[in-house]
Amino acid sequence: ADTNLYNPTIGGGLWEDRVTSLVKNDQRNLQCGDLASFFLRIETSPDVVGPITSTNTVNFDGDSTGQSGIAYEYIDSATLSRSDPETVLTTPTVPKVSLEQVLHGTLYETARGSTAYTEATIKVTDLQPGDVVVVRINARIGCLEGASPTGVLQAKIESALGSGVEVSNKLIHGGTIPMKLMEERENADEPTTEEPPVTTEEPPVTTEEPP
């Protein structure tokens, strides 16, 4: 499959067009079991000494904000998008991406007062001065059988660490999936004319590790 094209059953997409085809081109809403793709753009300063490590933490909701029923159950993958036109490597060295994830709390228990979320740590190593890389993160959407969820499902970047590193992110629908994109998921093969919400880019995050 061409992962440069976004397909919610397998993930994919590019930094620039990312998830704009989610409803418009795929002609269906999100379904239980789909992959939501998120992107981190990591740029290193040409003035620092390599190799450089960028450590990023992204939190994914373990339940919808209203009535329980929808969650990011786990992070399926975090990979370097080498074919993305935004990616520029200044040397033959290819950065490496690693993923660690921890579930805090219990999924689908917001109504009982639990605040569950998956903390994903994405570490990119062997970055060189002047590199620009795009990391694609695929999160699996799960559903609680028989539930009628309300509210939204959110994801947000918590921290970005690395000396001389600037991190920008483009999260699906600005990091928030409204429940209207999960409506009629039993009839998700039927076309829809609904336009996708506007996806906004959060401002760059520039941080430095303590000496």
Side-chain angles (χ1 to χ4, degrees):
D2 184 358
T3 55
N4 287 338
L5 301 175
Y6 183 80
N7 181 332
T9 61
I10 60 173
L14 297 171
W15 168 257
E16 279 304 321
D17 61 14
R18 56 206 183 281
V19 295
T20 55
S21 64
L22 179 61
V23 174
K24 188 174 181 180
N25 294 337
D26 292 331
Q27 293 293 300
R28 72 170 182 76
N29 289 351
L30 285 165
Q31 299 180 54
C32 307
D34 279 351
L35 290 176
S37 292
F38 302 80
F39 298 86
L40 297 178
R41 180 187 182 275
I42 300 168
E43 182 173 358
T44 62
S45 169
D47 300 323
V48 297
V49 178
I52 305 156
T53 296
S54 172
T55 303
N56 308 278
T57 301
V58 186
N59 289 347
F60 297 83
D61 278 0
D63 203 355
S64 40
T65 57
Q67 296 184 50
S68 297
I70 296 288
Y72 292 117
E73 287 195 331
Y74 60 90
I75 310 309
D76 184 80
S77 62
T79 56
L80 185 69
S81 184
R82 291 193 63 185
S83 60
D84 196 304
E86 196 74 15
T87 296
V88 178
L89 300 181
T90 57
T91 73
T93 302
V94 178
K96 300 177 180 63
V97 179
S98 64
L99 166 67
E100 294 182 359
Q101 56 187 302
V102 178
L103 174 63
H104 298 271
T106 305
L107 295 175
Y108 309 116
E109 290 201 353
T110 293
R112 300 182 184 181
S114 172
T115 304
Y117 64 96
T118 294
E119 180 184 28
T121 301
I122 296 94
K123 182 178 289 188
V124 185
T125 58
D126 291 338
L127 289 160
Q128 302 301 315
D131 278 355
V132 179
V133 299
V134 174
V135 175
R136 182 190 296 127
I137 308 164
N138 286 333
R140 184 74 65 180
I141 297 174
C143 301
L144 184 64
E145 186 174 357
S148 299
T150 60
V152 297
L153 191 61
Q154 299 176 320
K156 61 179 180 178
I157 187 168
E158 286 293 326
S159 64
L161 301 176
S163 180
V165 175
E166 181 179 279
V167 178
S168 305
N169 69 85
K170 288 181 178 177
L171 304 181
I172 187 171
H173 300 300
T176 300
I177 297 179
M179 289 301 103
K180 65 184 179 180
L181 282 182
M182 297 296 300
E183 291 173 358
E184 301 177 356
R185 53 188 181 274
E186 297 299 326
N187 301 311
D189 291 333
E190 296 181 4
T192 176
T193 57
E194 181 182 2
E195 289 291 323
V198 176
T199 304
T200 58
E201 179 179 352
E202 295 188 5
V205 179
T206 303
T207 58
E208 292 192 2
E209 295 179 334

